[in-house]
Amino acid sequence: MDQNQIEALVDAARNVRQHAYCPYSHFPVGCALLSQDGKIFTGVNVENVSFGATNCAERSALFTAASLGYRPGFIKAIAVTGATEDFLPPCSICRQVLVEWADPETPVFLTRNDGQIKRLKLLDLAPYSFTQMN
Ligand code: THU
């Protein structure tokens, strides 16, 4: 991925944050997934009064792509953004979902308020993960 593609993906994650539904945490998060066929799928956190029924931005983006017919292996890169001092990583539930859908080498771009972007691999976020039952 070149720098322009990375910035376009991160911008998509930043821009979609305006649609977050987060009346409880007031912590909008945006995620953008780049597909192998060059499309960008975005998602936001959608909270619920029960708290536990909240859906994170990462799963919202992924479930949108799944609903359109995309299947494991479709993800080329992942970007996550929130208004945070330090880099905002996906929660552990989202990591578990992502490892089923993306290769361990998939680049993950994390952002922080000062505009810096950190590049990791999904494997860095979810080593030794549960991926199959046989
Ligand atoms: N959240 C996300 O959407 N993604 C993350 O990576 C971290 C947390 C959301 C869940 C909840 O709506 C709010 O941020 C506070 O935890």
Side-chain angles (χ1 to χ4, degrees), residues 49-80:
V49 65
S50 72
F51 292 14
T54 291
N55 212 64
C56 291
E58 296 87 333
R59 280 173 289 140
S60 296
L62 197 153
F63 297 160
T64 295
S67 304
L68 290 165
Y70 286 83
R71 286 296 174 260
F74 84 91
I75 300 173
K76 188 170 172 191
I78 301 164
V80 183

Side-chain angles (χ1 to χ4, degrees), residues 21-22 25-30 44-48 54-59 80-81 88-91 94:
Y21 175 72
C22 53
S25 72
H26 305 287
F27 184 69
V29 181
V44 295
N45 47 333
V46 181
E47 297 186 344
N48 185 267
T54 291
N55 212 64
C56 291
E58 296 87 333
R59 280 173 289 140
V80 183
T81 66
L88 173 65
C91 81
C94 290

Side-chain angles (χ1 to χ4, degrees), residues 15-37:
N15 290 337
V16 77
R17 285 178 52 214
Q18 66 188 298
H19 300 306
Y21 175 72
C22 53
Y24 307 104
S25 72
H26 305 287
F27 184 69
V29 181
C31 175
L33 303 175
L34 176 66
S35 63
Q36 305 288 1
D37 60 357

Side-chain angles (χ1 to χ4, degrees), residues 4-17 32 42 79 81:
N4 285 343
Q5 280 181 301
I6 295 169
E7 274 164 28
L9 191 66
V10 167
D11 279 349
R14 285 200 185 105
N15 290 337
V16 77
R17 285 178 52 214
T42 56
T81 66

